[in-house]
Amino acid sequence: MKISIIAGTRPEVVKLAPVHAAFAAKPGMTAEWVATGQHGSLAEQAEAVFGITPDRKLQPDWNRKDLWSLTGALIDDLGAHYAQSRPDAVLVQGDTATAFSGAMAAFLANIPVGHVEAGLRSGDLAHPFPEEGFRKLIAPIGQMHFAPTRQAARNLKQDGVKDALIRLTGNTVIDAVQQVAALDRKPAVLDRVNDGERIILVTLHRRENWDEGVAGVCTAIRTLRNENPDVRIILPIHLNPRVRGPIEAALGNEGRIELIEPLAYPEFVAVMKRAYLILSDSGGVQEEAPSFGVPVLVLRDKTERQEAIRAGVAKLVGADAARILAAARPLLKSSRAHARMARRSNPFGDGKASERIVEAIALLLASQGQVNSPGASILPMMRTASA
Ligand code: UDP
């Protein structure tokens, strides 16, 4: 059985790398890695960490500014790739243009689609845009839905996905973060942190935070630095020029604010482990931080990762300076308030999600025999396996 794994963004690489490794360890299965280039060097940096050499690198023009044109080009390129490579199934992850296009091209080529991290919902098509729409649109055309949490599985059922097609696996990001945390790297930026200093780690990249959001977060960061002489801010700046320019303009050359290039994943996780507090609009970071007991203030108005909020290890604060400050100040002032959020308990997974995904696919195959022709539906196998 040949599976095509489609990855373009940094989080897709991080979250699909452990699945790729689990396929490699499974006799009778081959997984090809198809890189779409969506995050360019950021994704390549993550591929290098996991020792992944793409079997195919697509080169759509990522400089097109319109999402419809980008998505159209990507569906075209992926469809052409499937026609030539003839995988038995396609695996996509999450909610990006890469994931949606990978799933849509496979659907149109009549190839079964598996969706890793299926079922996340914010309930608002505008937040996050376009991600909420992309992940919802994958649901009706996918044939295997790997839900990271019970809530995600419930969301899928609510969207009409049949129970028999859903597997509760945990999130593969926990598999990845456990693997790289064990490397225990020490990035150079940690050498600039003085003894006794508390680290606030910040990441910011989402479309909904461009412009106003970036300005609000930068104001909050400067204020927190001014108010707390023992705080050092570490901010690896995303390569996207829509956030990079404004952040550099607002915070360049400020004491105790380290604006640095994106860190390789093991280095980033090393900083996360050492952080006192994280401010982030990243989905992956919200999922990873509870593994290390580091509180996260989520720089968004809505999140599809309610599990961390409910567990009390993350708080939704948006990107408005006053709201960020109102949430951050008590955590910096009171070690008790901080301790209440700093619990090492991760609602997103246990580090075995990739194994479960590969086992589920293998089980389905074993129950039905090998699928040899592209386009052969695995729907009956899914039903048999869960019967
Ligand atoms: N990350 C990284 N280096 C950095 C910043 C983030 O390796 O300098 C990792 C982070 O640990 C997480 C992923 O990149 O696994 C998150 O990516 P991003 O914030 O771009 O996307 P999102 O999670 O919001 O989809």
Side-chain angles (χ1 to χ4, degrees), residues 342-354:
R343 274 174 287 114
R344 213 178 264 262
S345 125
N346 199 317
F348 296 106
D350 60 1
K352 297 192 168 64
S354 311

Side-chain angles (χ1 to χ4, degrees), residues 9-11 14-15 39 42 45-46 95-96 173 177 203 205-206 236-238 261-266 268-269 272 280-285 287-288 300 305:
T9 65
R10 176 173 59 191
V14 167
K15 291 173 172 181
H39 272 179
L42 275 189
Q45 189 186 38
D95 51 22
T96 64
V173 79
V177 84
T203 79
H205 74 100
R206 287 197 173 255
I237 318 179
H238 202 277
E261 290 303 312
L263 291 165
Y265 188 45
F268 182 79
V269 170
M272 189 181 326
S280 179
D281 63 1
S282 158
V285 172
E287 293 156 345
E288 292 159 345
R300 296 172 54 185
R305 286 151 173 109

